[in-house]
Amino acid sequence: MTGIICAMTIEAEGIISEMENKEVTVISGIEYTKGTLYGKEVVVAVCGVGKVFAAACAQTMILKFAPAEIINVGVAGSLVADLKVFDVAVATSLCQHDMDTSAIGDPVGLISGVNMVKFPASERINSVIIDCLRASGLNYKEGTIASGDLFVAEREKKNWIRDTFDAVACEMEGGSVAQICYINGVDFAVLRAISDEEGGDY
């Protein structure tokens, strides 16, 4: 089974509309729709915006439905000039730009307990995603996607995230989904359609 996590209903409704044999389960206010998508077993959830909702959703999905992999999809802001609106960012790794214990000597973004700044996404899943993107003719870019509980609108902040983490896009959920998948040994991938460009329009 494949798990799919979206932050907002508008990001999930197209996927759910294509599903068959749907069963809905609500846990802690999050709706999980289990069924088949083009003959494959999937469970799709709309977690809500932000890292805490995303982490709660991912952990619950793993414990309740035991997916073999989880894919986090949605929208993101571009941090680089060659990712425009409607292009796609594919995460090679995920980090959390708002995690900062540097005052005690840690690198910015270090996740205590696992001692990692970046969580590597599944190369196996990414290879399939990239094949699909190439077949569709969509422009895409691979790289680090940075997550944090902040809608990043200021140019100075965007530049800092890009330069600190060598990131191509930023959003608000993928890094926490990555962390939960990592500590549970579940493969994961994150891909994001660009909703606002590096220049600031969104």
Coordinates of all heavy atoms in Angstrom, one line a residue, residues 79-160:
L79 N 12.7 28.7 -4.5 CA 13.9 29.4 -4.0 C 14.9 29.7 -5.0 O 16.0 30.3 -4.8 CB 14.5 28.7 -2.8 CG 13.6 28.4 -1.6 CD1 14.3 27.6 -0.6 CD2 13.1 29.7 -1.0
V80 N 14.7 29.2 -6.3 CA 15.6 29.3 -7.4 C 14.9 29.9 -8.6 O 13.7 29.7 -8.8 CB 16.3 28.0 -7.7 CG1 17.2 27.6 -6.5 CG2 15.3 26.9 -7.9
A81 N 15.7 30.5 -9.4 CA 15.2 31.2 -10.6 C 14.6 30.3 -11.6 O 13.7 30.6 -12.4 CB 16.2 32.1 -11.3
D82 N 15.1 29.0 -11.7 CA 14.6 28.1 -12.8 C 13.5 27.2 -12.3 O 13.1 26.3 -13.0 CB 15.8 27.3 -13.3 CG 16.6 26.6 -12.2 OD1 16.4 26.9 -11.1 OD2 17.4 25.7 -12.6
L83 N 12.8 27.5 -11.2 CA 11.6 26.9 -10.9 C 10.5 27.9 -10.9 O 10.4 28.8 -10.0 CB 11.7 26.2 -9.5 CG 12.2 24.7 -9.4 CD1 12.2 24.3 -8.0 CD2 11.3 23.8 -10.3
K84 N 9.6 27.8 -11.8 CA 8.5 28.8 -12.0 C 7.2 28.2 -11.5 O 7.1 27.0 -11.3 CB 8.4 29.2 -13.5 CG 9.7 29.8 -14.0 CD 10.1 31.1 -13.4 CE 11.3 31.7 -14.1 NZ 11.9 32.9 -13.4
V85 N 6.1 29.0 -11.5 CA 4.8 28.5 -11.1 C 4.4 27.4 -12.1 O 4.6 27.5 -13.3 CB 3.8 29.7 -11.2 CG1 2.4 29.2 -11.0 CG2 4.1 30.7 -10.0
F86 N 3.9 26.3 -11.5 CA 3.4 25.1 -12.2 C 4.6 24.2 -12.5 O 4.4 23.0 -12.9 CB 2.7 25.4 -13.5 CG 1.4 26.1 -13.3 CD1 1.1 27.3 -14.0 CD2 0.5 25.8 -12.3 CE1 0.0 28.0 -13.8 CE2 -0.7 26.5 -12.1 CZ -1.0 27.6 -12.9
D87 N 5.9 24.6 -12.3 CA 6.9 23.6 -12.3 C 6.9 22.7 -11.1 O 6.1 23.0 -10.2 CB 8.3 24.3 -12.4 CG 8.5 25.1 -13.7 OD1 7.8 24.8 -14.7 OD2 9.4 25.9 -13.7
V88 N 7.7 21.7 -11.0 CA 7.6 20.7 -10.0 C 9.0 20.6 -9.3 O 10.0 20.4 -10.0 CB 7.2 19.3 -10.5 CG1 7.2 18.3 -9.3 CG2 5.8 19.4 -11.1
A89 N 9.0 20.7 -8.0 CA 10.2 20.4 -7.2 C 10.2 18.9 -6.7 O 9.1 18.5 -6.1 CB 10.4 21.3 -6.0
V90 N 11.2 18.2 -6.9 CA 11.3 16.8 -6.4 C 12.4 16.7 -5.4 O 13.5 17.1 -5.7 CB 11.6 15.8 -7.6 CG1 11.7 14.4 -7.1 CG2 10.6 15.9 -8.7
A91 N 12.1 16.3 -4.2 CA 13.0 16.4 -3.1 C 14.0 15.2 -3.2 O 13.6 14.0 -3.2 CB 12.3 16.3 -1.8
T92 N 15.3 15.5 -3.2 CA 16.3 14.5 -3.0 C 16.5 14.4 -1.5 O 17.0 13.3 -1.0 CB 17.6 14.9 -3.7 OG1 18.0 16.2 -3.2 CG2 17.5 14.9 -5.2
S93 N 16.3 15.4 -0.8 CA 16.3 15.4 0.7 C 15.4 16.4 1.3 O 15.0 17.4 0.6 CB 17.8 15.6 1.2 OG 18.3 16.9 0.8
L94 N 15.1 16.3 2.5 CA 14.3 17.3 3.3 C 15.0 17.7 4.5 O 15.7 17.0 5.2 CB 12.9 16.6 3.7 CG 11.8 16.4 2.7 CD1 11.3 17.7 2.2 CD2 12.2 15.5 1.5
C95 N 14.8 19.0 4.8 CA 15.3 19.6 6.1 C 14.2 20.5 6.7 O 13.2 20.8 6.1 CB 16.6 20.4 5.8 SG 16.4 21.8 4.8
Q96 N 14.5 20.9 7.9 CA 13.6 21.8 8.6 C 14.3 23.1 9.0 O 15.1 23.1 9.9 CB 13.1 21.1 9.9 CG 12.3 19.8 9.6 CD 11.8 19.1 10.8 OE1 11.4 19.7 11.8 NE2 11.9 17.8 10.8
H97 N 14.0 24.1 8.2 CA 14.8 25.4 8.3 C 14.5 26.1 9.6 O 15.3 27.0 10.0 CB 14.5 26.3 7.1 CG 13.1 26.8 7.0 ND1 12.6 27.8 7.8 CD2 12.1 26.5 6.1 CE1 11.3 28.1 7.5 NE2 11.0 27.3 6.5
D98 N 13.4 25.8 10.3 CA 13.2 26.5 11.6 C 13.6 25.7 12.8 O 13.3 26.1 13.9 CB 11.7 26.8 11.7 CG 10.8 25.6 11.6 OD1 11.3 24.5 11.3 OD2 9.5 25.8 11.8
M99 N 14.3 24.6 12.6 CA 14.9 23.9 13.7 C 16.3 24.5 14.0 O 17.2 24.5 13.1 CB 15.0 22.4 13.4 CG 15.5 21.6 14.6 SD 14.2 21.5 15.9 CE 15.0 20.4 17.0
D100 N 16.5 25.1 15.2 CA 17.8 25.8 15.4 C 18.2 25.7 16.8 O 17.7 26.4 17.7 CB 17.6 27.3 15.0 CG 18.9 28.1 15.0 OD1 19.9 27.5 15.4 OD2 18.9 29.2 14.6
T101 N 19.2 24.9 17.0 CA 19.9 24.8 18.4 C 21.3 25.2 18.2 O 22.2 24.7 19.0 CB 19.8 23.4 19.0 OG1 20.3 22.4 18.0 CG2 18.3 23.0 19.3
S102 N 21.6 26.1 17.3 CA 23.0 26.6 17.0 C 23.6 27.3 18.2 O 24.8 27.4 18.4 CB 23.0 27.4 15.8 OG 22.2 28.6 15.9
A103 N 22.7 27.8 19.1 CA 23.3 28.5 20.3 C 24.1 27.6 21.2 O 24.9 28.1 22.0 CB 22.1 29.1 21.1
I104 N 23.9 26.3 21.1 CA 24.6 25.3 21.9 C 25.7 24.6 21.0 O 26.2 23.6 21.4 CB 23.7 24.4 22.7 CG1 22.9 23.6 21.7 CG2 22.9 25.1 23.7 CD1 22.1 22.4 22.4
G105 N 25.9 25.2 19.8 CA 27.0 24.6 19.0 C 26.6 23.7 17.9 O 27.4 23.2 17.2
D106 N 25.3 23.4 17.8 CA 24.8 22.5 16.7 C 24.7 23.2 15.4 O 24.5 24.4 15.3 CB 23.4 22.0 17.1 CG 23.4 21.1 18.3 OD1 24.4 20.5 18.6 OD2 22.3 21.0 18.9
P107 N 24.8 22.5 14.3 CA 24.5 23.1 13.0 C 23.0 23.5 12.9 O 22.2 22.9 13.5 CB 24.8 21.9 12.0 CG 25.6 20.9 12.7 CD 25.2 21.1 14.2
V108 N 22.8 24.6 12.2 CA 21.4 25.0 12.0 C 20.6 23.9 11.3 O 21.1 23.3 10.3 CB 21.3 26.3 11.2 CG1 19.9 26.7 10.9 CG2 22.0 27.5 11.9
G109 N 19.4 23.6 11.8 CA 18.6 22.5 11.1 C 18.8 21.2 11.7 O 18.1 20.2 11.3
L110 N 19.8 21.0 12.6 CA 20.0 19.6 13.2 C 18.8 19.1 13.9 O 18.3 19.9 14.8 CB 21.3 19.7 14.1 CG 21.7 18.3 14.7 CD1 22.4 17.5 13.6 CD2 22.5 18.4 15.9
I111 N 18.4 17.9 13.7 CA 17.3 17.3 14.4 C 17.9 16.4 15.5 O 18.6 15.4 15.3 CB 16.5 16.4 13.5 CG1 16.0 17.2 12.3 CG2 15.3 15.8 14.3 CD1 15.1 18.4 12.6
S112 N 17.8 16.9 16.7 CA 18.3 16.2 17.9 C 17.7 14.8 18.0 O 16.6 14.5 17.6 CB 18.0 16.9 19.2 OG 18.6 18.2 19.1
G113 N 18.5 13.9 18.5 CA 18.1 12.5 18.6 C 18.5 11.6 17.5 O 18.9 10.4 17.7
V114 N 18.4 12.1 16.2 CA 18.9 11.4 15.1 C 20.1 12.0 14.5 O 20.8 11.4 13.6 CB 17.8 11.2 14.0 CG1 16.7 10.4 14.5 CG2 17.3 12.6 13.6
N115 N 20.5 13.2 15.0 CA 21.7 13.9 14.5 C 21.8 14.1 13.0 O 22.8 13.8 12.4 CB 22.9 13.3 15.1 CG 23.0 13.4 16.6 OD1 22.7 14.4 17.2 ND2 23.3 12.3 17.3
M116 N 20.7 14.5 12.4 CA 20.7 14.7 11.0 C 20.1 16.1 10.7 O 19.2 16.6 11.4 CB 19.8 13.6 10.3 CG 20.3 12.2 10.5 SD 19.2 11.0 9.8 CE 19.2 11.4 8.0
V117 N 20.6 16.7 9.6 CA 20.0 18.0 9.1 C 19.1 17.6 8.0 O 18.0 18.2 7.8 CB 21.1 19.0 8.7 CG1 20.5 20.2 8.0 CG2 21.9 19.4 9.9
K118 N 19.5 16.7 7.1 CA 18.8 16.4 5.9 C 18.4 14.9 5.9 O 19.3 14.0 6.2 CB 19.6 16.7 4.6 CG 19.8 18.2 4.4 CD 20.5 18.5 3.1 CE 20.7 20.0 2.9 NZ 21.3 20.3 1.6
F119 N 17.1 14.6 5.6 CA 16.7 13.3 5.5 C 16.6 12.9 4.0 O 15.8 13.5 3.2 CB 15.3 13.1 6.1 CG 15.3 13.4 7.6 CD1 15.1 14.6 8.1 CD2 15.5 12.3 8.5 CE1 15.1 14.8 9.5 CE2 15.5 12.5 9.9 CZ 15.3 13.8 10.4
P120 N 17.3 11.9 3.5 CA 17.3 11.6 2.1 C 16.0 10.9 1.7 O 15.5 10.0 2.3 CB 18.5 10.6 2.0 CG 18.7 10.0 3.3 CD 18.3 11.1 4.3
A121 N 15.4 11.4 0.6 CA 14.2 10.7 0.0 C 14.6 9.5 -0.7 O 15.8 9.2 -1.1 CB 13.5 11.7 -0.9
S122 N 13.6 8.6 -1.0 CA 13.8 7.4 -1.6 C 14.2 7.5 -3.1 O 13.4 8.1 -3.9 CB 12.5 6.5 -1.6 OG 12.6 5.4 -2.4
E123 N 15.4 7.1 -3.5 CA 15.8 7.1 -4.9 C 14.9 6.2 -5.8 O 14.6 6.6 -6.9 CB 17.2 6.7 -5.0 CG 18.2 7.6 -4.4 CD 19.7 7.2 -4.5 OE1 19.9 6.2 -5.3 OE2 20.5 7.8 -3.9
R124 N 14.4 5.1 -5.2 CA 13.5 4.2 -5.9 C 12.2 5.0 -6.3 O 11.8 4.9 -7.5 CB 13.2 3.0 -5.1 CG 12.1 2.1 -5.6 CD 11.8 1.0 -4.7 NE 11.2 1.5 -3.4 CZ 9.9 1.7 -3.3 NH1 9.0 1.6 -4.3 NH2 9.4 2.1 -2.1
I125 N 11.6 5.6 -5.4 CA 10.3 6.4 -5.7 C 10.6 7.5 -6.6 O 9.9 7.8 -7.6 CB 9.6 6.8 -4.4 CG1 9.4 5.7 -3.4 CG2 8.3 7.5 -4.7 CD1 8.9 6.1 -2.1
N126 N 11.7 8.3 -6.3 CA 12.0 9.4 -7.2 C 12.2 9.1 -8.6 O 11.9 9.8 -9.5 CB 13.2 10.1 -6.6 CG 12.9 11.1 -5.5 OD1 11.8 11.2 -5.1 ND2 13.9 11.7 -4.9
S127 N 12.8 7.9 -8.9 CA 13.1 7.5 -10.3 C 11.8 7.3 -11.0 O 11.7 7.7 -12.2 CB 13.9 6.2 -10.3 OG 13.2 5.1 -9.8
V128 N 10.7 6.8 -10.3 CA 9.4 6.7 -11.0 C 8.8 8.0 -11.2 O 8.2 8.3 -12.2 CB 8.5 5.7 -10.1 CG1 7.1 5.6 -10.7 CG2 9.1 4.4 -10.0
I129 N 8.9 8.9 -10.2 CA 8.3 10.2 -10.3 C 8.9 11.0 -11.5 O 8.2 11.6 -12.3 CB 8.5 11.0 -9.0 CG1 7.6 10.4 -7.9 CG2 8.3 12.5 -9.2 CD1 8.0 11.0 -6.5
I130 N 10.3 10.9 -11.6 CA 11.0 11.6 -12.6 C 10.6 11.1 -14.0 O 10.4 11.8 -15.0 CB 12.5 11.6 -12.4 CG1 12.8 12.5 -11.2 CG2 13.3 12.1 -13.6 CD1 14.2 12.3 -10.6
D131 N 10.4 9.8 -14.1 CA 10.0 9.2 -15.4 C 8.6 9.7 -15.8 O 8.4 10.1 -17.0 CB 9.9 7.6 -15.3 CG 11.3 7.0 -15.3 OD1 12.3 7.6 -15.7 OD2 11.3 5.8 -15.0
C132 N 7.7 9.9 -14.8 CA 6.4 10.4 -15.1 C 6.5 11.9 -15.5 O 5.8 12.3 -16.4 CB 5.5 10.2 -13.8 SG 5.1 8.5 -13.4
L133 N 7.3 12.7 -14.8 CA 7.4 14.1 -15.1 C 8.0 14.3 -16.5 O 7.5 15.1 -17.3 CB 8.3 14.8 -14.1 CG 7.7 14.9 -12.7 CD1 8.8 15.4 -11.7 CD2 6.6 16.0 -12.7
R134 N 9.0 13.5 -16.9 CA 9.6 13.6 -18.2 C 8.5 13.2 -19.3 O 8.4 13.8 -20.3 CB 10.8 12.6 -18.3 CG 12.0 13.2 -17.6 CD 13.1 12.1 -17.6 NE 14.3 12.7 -17.0 CZ 15.4 11.9 -16.6 NH1 15.3 10.6 -16.7 NH2 16.4 12.5 -16.0
A135 N 7.8 12.1 -19.0 CA 6.7 11.7 -20.0 C 5.7 12.8 -20.1 O 5.1 12.9 -21.2 CB 6.1 10.4 -19.5
S136 N 5.4 13.5 -19.1 CA 4.3 14.6 -19.1 C 4.8 15.9 -19.7 O 4.0 16.7 -20.1 CB 3.8 14.8 -17.7 OG 4.8 15.6 -16.9
G137 N 6.1 16.0 -19.8 CA 6.7 17.3 -20.4 C 6.8 18.4 -19.4 O 7.1 19.5 -19.7
L138 N 6.5 18.1 -18.1 CA 6.6 19.2 -17.1 C 8.0 19.5 -16.7 O 8.9 18.6 -16.6 CB 5.8 18.7 -15.8 CG 4.3 18.7 -15.9 CD1 3.8 18.0 -14.6 CD2 3.7 20.1 -16.0
N139 N 8.3 20.8 -16.5 CA 9.6 21.2 -16.0 C 9.7 20.8 -14.5 O 8.8 21.1 -13.8 CB 9.8 22.7 -16.2 CG 11.2 23.1 -15.9 OD1 12.2 22.5 -16.3 ND2 11.4 24.1 -15.0
Y140 N 10.9 20.3 -14.2 CA 11.1 19.9 -12.8 C 12.5 20.1 -12.4 O 13.4 20.3 -13.3 CB 10.7 18.4 -12.6 CG 11.7 17.4 -13.2 CD1 12.8 16.9 -12.4 CD2 11.6 17.0 -14.5 CE1 13.7 16.1 -13.0 CE2 12.5 16.2 -15.1 CZ 13.5 15.7 -14.3 OH 14.4 14.8 -14.9
K141 N 12.8 20.2 -11.1 CA 14.1 20.3 -10.6 C 14.2 19.5 -9.3 O 13.4 19.5 -8.5 CB 14.5 21.8 -10.3 CG 15.9 22.0 -9.9 CD 16.2 23.5 -9.7 CE 17.6 23.8 -9.4 NZ 18.5 23.5 -10.5
E142 N 15.3 18.7 -9.2 CA 15.6 17.9 -8.0 C 16.5 18.7 -7.1 O 17.3 19.6 -7.5 CB 16.3 16.7 -8.4 CG 15.6 15.7 -9.3 CD 16.4 14.5 -9.6 OE1 16.5 13.6 -8.8 OE2 17.0 14.5 -10.7
G143 N 16.3 18.5 -5.8 CA 17.1 19.2 -4.8 C 16.5 19.1 -3.4 O 15.5 18.4 -3.2
T144 N 17.1 19.7 -2.5 CA 16.6 19.8 -1.1 C 15.3 20.7 -1.0 O 15.3 21.8 -1.6 CB 17.7 20.3 -0.1 OG1 18.8 19.4 -0.1 CG2 17.1 20.5 1.3
I145 N 14.3 20.2 -0.3 CA 13.2 21.0 0.0 C 13.2 21.3 1.5 O 13.4 20.3 2.3 CB 11.8 20.3 -0.4 CG1 11.8 20.2 -2.0 CG2 10.6 21.1 0.1 CD1 10.5 19.5 -2.5
A146 N 13.0 22.5 1.8 CA 13.1 22.9 3.2 C 11.7 23.2 3.8 O 10.9 23.9 3.1 CB 14.0 24.2 3.4
S147 N 11.5 22.7 5.0 CA 10.1 22.9 5.6 C 10.3 23.7 6.9 O 11.3 23.7 7.6 CB 9.6 21.5 6.0 OG 9.5 20.7 4.9
G148 N 9.2 24.4 7.2 CA 9.1 25.2 8.4 C 7.7 25.7 8.6 O 6.9 25.9 7.7
D149 N 7.4 26.1 9.9 CA 6.1 26.6 10.2 C 6.1 28.1 9.9 O 5.9 28.9 10.8 CB 5.7 26.3 11.6 CG 5.4 24.8 11.8 OD1 4.7 24.3 11.0 OD2 5.7 24.3 12.9
L150 N 6.2 28.4 8.6 CA 6.3 29.8 8.2 C 6.0 29.9 6.7 O 6.5 29.1 5.9 CB 7.7 30.4 8.5 CG 8.0 31.8 7.9 CD1 7.2 32.9 8.7 CD2 9.5 32.1 8.0
F151 N 5.0 30.8 6.3 CA 4.8 31.1 4.9 C 5.9 32.1 4.5 O 5.9 33.2 5.0 CB 3.5 31.7 4.6 CG 3.1 31.8 3.2 CD1 2.3 30.9 2.5 CD2 3.7 32.9 2.4 CE1 2.1 31.0 1.2 CE2 3.4 33.0 1.1 CZ 2.6 32.1 0.4
V152 N 6.9 31.6 3.8 CA 8.1 32.4 3.5 C 7.8 33.4 2.3 O 7.6 33.0 1.2 CB 9.3 31.5 3.1 CG1 10.5 32.4 2.9 CG2 9.6 30.5 4.3
A153 N 7.7 34.6 2.6 CA 7.3 35.7 1.6 C 8.5 36.7 1.5 O 8.5 37.3 0.4 CB 6.0 36.4 2.0
E154 N 9.3 36.8 2.5 CA 10.4 37.9 2.4 C 11.6 37.4 1.6 O 12.0 36.2 1.8 CB 10.8 38.3 3.8 CG 9.7 38.9 4.6 CD 10.2 39.3 6.0 OE1 11.3 39.0 6.3 OE2 9.4 39.9 6.7
R155 N 12.1 38.2 0.7 CA 13.2 37.8 -0.1 C 14.4 37.4 0.8 O 15.1 36.5 0.5 CB 13.6 38.9 -1.1 CG 14.9 38.7 -1.8 CD 14.8 37.5 -2.8 NE 13.9 37.7 -3.9 CZ 14.3 38.3 -5.0 NH1 15.5 38.8 -5.2 NH2 13.4 38.5 -6.0
E156 N 14.7 38.2 1.8 CA 15.8 37.9 2.7 C 15.8 36.5 3.3 O 16.8 35.8 3.4 CB 15.9 39.0 3.8 CG 17.1 38.8 4.7 CD 17.2 39.9 5.7 OE1 16.4 40.8 5.7 OE2 18.1 39.8 6.6
K157 N 14.6 36.1 3.7 CA 14.4 34.8 4.3 C 14.5 33.7 3.3 O 15.2 32.7 3.6 CB 13.0 34.7 5.0 CG 12.8 33.4 5.8 CD 13.7 33.4 7.0 CE 13.4 32.2 7.9 NZ 14.2 32.1 9.1
K158 N 14.0 33.9 2.1 CA 14.1 33.0 1.0 C 15.6 32.7 0.7 O 16.1 31.6 0.6 CB 13.4 33.4 -0.2 CG 11.9 33.3 -0.2 CD 11.3 33.6 -1.5 CE 9.8 33.4 -1.5 NZ 9.2 33.5 -2.9
N159 N 16.3 33.8 0.6 CA 17.8 33.7 0.3 C 18.5 33.0 1.4 O 19.4 32.1 1.1 CB 18.4 35.1 0.1 CG 17.9 35.8 -1.2 OD1 17.2 35.1 -2.1 ND2 18.1 37.1 -1.3
W160 N 18.2 33.2 2.6 CA 18.8 32.6 3.7 C 18.6 31.1 3.7 O 19.5 30.2 3.9 CB 18.4 33.1 5.1 CG 19.0 32.5 6.3 CD1 20.2 32.8 6.8 CD2 18.5 31.4 7.0 NE1 20.5 31.9 7.9 CE2 19.4 31.1 8.0 CE3 17.3 30.6 6.9 CZ2 19.2 30.0 8.9 CZ3 17.1 29.6 7.9 CH2 18.0 29.3 8.8

